[in-house]
Amino acid sequence: MSDAASADRGRPRGAPPFAAHEWMIAWRYMRARRREGGISVIVWYALVGVALAVGTLIVVMAVMVGFRAEFTDRILGAEGHVKFYAVAVRDERGAMVRSIADYDAMTERVAGVPGVIRAAPMVEAQALVSKGSANAGALVRGERLEDLRDLPYVANPEEARGSLDDLPRGLAIGWGVAQELGVDVGDRISMILPGGQTTPFGTAPKVKGFEVVYIFRIGRADVDKTRVYMTFEAAQEFFNRGDTADQVEAIVEDPQALGSRASRTEFDQQLAAAAGPRSVVWTWKDANGAFLSALDTERAVMFMILSLVVLIAALNIISGLVMLVKNKGRDIGILRTVGLTQGAILRVFFLCGAGIGTLGTLIGVGLGILFVIYIDPIFDVVNFFAGGGIWDPEIRMLTKFPAVLRWEDVASAAGLALALSWFITFFPARKAARLHPVEALRYE
């Protein structure tokens, strides 16, 4: 009778894959001490490595998604989602102008497009604001009060002083502008428009005093340090616009339905048709598309880079299993002799490696989720010990550290770690299964 036939007679019949005795043997090997042929120290290294790699991947993805979401929210909360300009033409003096004379009619047509919440005319210009010896450049926008109330981060900002309802008698200025000038609600500031008025001696700057009635902080440094609002009629008068507007802006129900210059959507075409043949459509994606695309690309690249970190951490499992197979050669020979099949041996050692990867992944997922949930207090502690200044809102445009936990990102990180750890576990487990009992017991 052949050796294979003899071995088959001793094998347990009807034992399904991953039976209880396979789990028991795997658990026994996992918790064995080193002097008993175990790999406890290497197991801990591999487990900690996988946990940290998975947790880091989850945190980085959450921060990058959060930064994009927060930045997009700040854009959409302080701006119209789409703007309409007139095609530039030359006036009687030969200057290029883009004023909209029939702005009320254009506004009504745009507001009638399905999906548009509201449309409003606007005057926009740059000016210099000053208080004593302090000066600041400002982007001044003139809008009707009822239209300004529809901008969430202007009507309900992070911080505010005064009342937006008092706008007809003054100016609303950003927090950074107020700090630059050293003013508060009730103070008067001067607005200067270079070359704003014609005199017998030529053009001269136009200067007019305004009361500060409202100070807002939306959390975007570029807006807080430059934005000034006034009523639409006051802006027409100060900037010599007559009865015209510079643009019409609209807020839509689904900002993501808008396209960019590179890829206009059907919704964009409907808006352009409503605005008229001499109009130019400029969406929020046109103004910020390059930055948002860069964030998306960076997020994809960071996922790939951190996936390599997960792979490196998972490779530590191979080291542990190779040593375990080497130390348990005698046990493998005995188990094969008493009837365990090659498949059973493979599954025993696969369970050892997969158990390390699975436990490390679960710990990493828990750590990553907890870190994201408590990221603000954790970051405050880090910023305190670092002496402050790590998060500069003037550079990063946001006043808070954003993080958004998406379960699809958690699932991607966990799935990647599990797939890698289970896959690489197969090879040392296969080596253990192919170990011949005679070879394993030859020197015992």
Side-chain angles (χ1 to χ4, degrees):
M1 184 178 295
S2 64
D3 292 340
S6 300
D8 288 337
R9 289 193 307 173
R11 292 174 185 168
R13 300 294 181 180
F18 299 103
H21 64 275
E22 296 174 2
W23 286 89
M24 181 187 65
I25 297 171
W27 172 245
R28 174 65 181 83
Y29 286 169
M30 288 292 297
R31 62 188 181 90
R33 298 179 181 179
R34 191 172 183 84
R35 64 175 178 267
E36 300 172 352
I39 52 165
S40 57
V41 175
I42 299 177
V43 166
W44 282 107
Y45 288 157
L47 189 145
V48 170
V50 172
L52 292 179
V54 172
T56 301
L57 182 57
I58 291 173
V59 172
V60 171
M61 290 298 102
V63 169
M64 300 194 73
V65 171
F67 187 86
R68 189 190 193 284
E70 185 75 9
F71 183 74
T72 302
D73 187 54
R74 302 281 175 171
I75 292 172
L76 300 179
E79 310 275 352
H81 302 160
V82 57
K83 298 178 182 179
F84 305 89
Y85 300 90
V87 176
V89 296
R90 293 189 182 276
D91 61 8
E92 62 276 6
R93 296 178 297 178
M96 299 297 295
V97 295
R98 305 183 68 168
S99 59
I100 303 174
D102 60 340
Y103 57 85
D104 281 330
M106 179 185 288
T107 300
E108 186 176 352
R109 293 195 302 270
V110 171
V113 176
V116 175
I117 297 175
R118 66 93 170 162
M122 182 171 66
V123 172
E124 182 178 84
Q126 293 182 337
L128 182 70
V129 290
S130 66
K131 171 68 174 177
S133 60
N135 302 285
L139 179 64
V140 184
R141 289 186 173 177
E143 296 192 54
R144 291 165 179 162
L145 180 58
E146 59 270 21
D147 296 324
L148 271 179
R149 292 196 183 103
D150 291 331
L151 296 177
Y153 279 99
V154 176
N156 300 289
E158 287 185 354
E159 297 183 55
R161 296 183 194 149
S163 174
L164 187 61
D165 295 334
D166 295 330
L167 188 66
R169 61 181 180 85
L171 300 177
I173 66 176
W175 201 273
V177 178
Q179 288 185 324
E180 189 77 17
L181 301 180
V183 298
D184 204 345
V185 173
D187 294 339
R188 294 188 65 84
I189 62 176
S190 299
M191 186 179 294
I192 304 169
L193 179 64
Q197 60 184 358
T198 303
T199 68
F201 304 99
T203 59
K206 185 175 184 178
V207 183
K208 187 175 181 179
F210 294 91
E211 180 184 353
V212 177
V213 298
Y214 185 63
I215 300 175
F216 60 90
R217 180 179 183 177
I218 72 170
R220 268 182 61 190
D222 61 323
V223 172
D224 293 337
K225 289 180 67 68
T226 62
R227 192 67 55 85
V228 172
Y229 287 101
M230 61 196 311
T231 62
F232 180 67
E233 295 76 13
Q236 285 180 318
E237 186 276 328
F238 183 79
F239 293 107
N240 305 316
R241 294 296 194 266
D243 191 21
T244 65
D246 292 332
Q247 57 187 268
V248 172
E249 70 170 12
I251 294 179
V252 300
E253 293 178 358
D254 183 13
Q256 299 299 333
L258 297 168
S260 62
R261 295 182 64 183
S263 58
R264 290 300 185 195
T265 65
E266 182 179 352
F267 188 36
D268 296 334
Q269 296 172 1
Q270 293 176 357
L271 293 172
R278 295 187 60 252
S279 63
V280 178
V281 179
W282 186 257
T283 69
W284 71 276
K285 290 183 180 179
D286 292 323
N288 305 279
F291 183 76
L292 295 176
S293 296
L295 288 178
D296 291 337
T297 302
E298 184 180 11
R299 180 160 57 95
V301 171
M302 287 301 296
F303 185 85
M304 289 188 292
I305 293 174
L306 291 175
S307 296
L308 296 178
V309 178
V310 176
L311 175 61
I312 294 171
L315 287 175
N316 289 329
I317 299 175
I318 290 183
S319 302
L321 282 185
V322 169
M323 293 188 62
L324 180 61
V325 171
K326 180 179 176 61
N327 292 338
K328 295 297 182 180
R330 178 173 176 270
D331 290 9
I332 294 172
I334 295 173
L335 291 173
R336 289 296 312 280
T337 301
V338 298
L340 260 67
T341 63
Q342 287 188 354
I345 297 296
L346 185 147
R347 289 189 292 271
V348 166
F349 286 91
F350 175 81
L351 287 172
C352 291
I356 299 171
T358 302
L359 183 58
T361 300
L362 293 176
I363 295 174
V365 168
L367 290 176
I369 292 175
L370 288 175
F371 196 99
V372 172
I373 293 175
Y374 297 102
I375 192 168
D376 284 331
I378 292 174
F379 192 83
D380 290 340
V381 172
V382 174
N383 201 37
F384 173 78
F385 284 105
I390 294 179
W391 183 262
D392 187 354
E394 295 186 5
I395 298 175
R396 295 163 180 85
M397 303 180 67
L398 300 173
T399 54
K400 293 183 178 180
F401 197 89
V404 173
L405 188 65
R406 299 193 312 177
W407 294 113
E408 53 265 38
D409 292 333
V410 175
S412 298
L416 175 68
L418 291 175
L420 290 175
S421 60
W422 292 359
F423 176 74
I424 65 176
T425 296
F426 174 78
F427 298 100
R430 184 167 175 266
K431 181 179 178 181
R434 300 177 99 183
L435 187 61
H436 198 279
V438 176
E439 294 295 328
L441 296 173
R442 173 174 295 178
Y443 302 105
E444 295 298 334

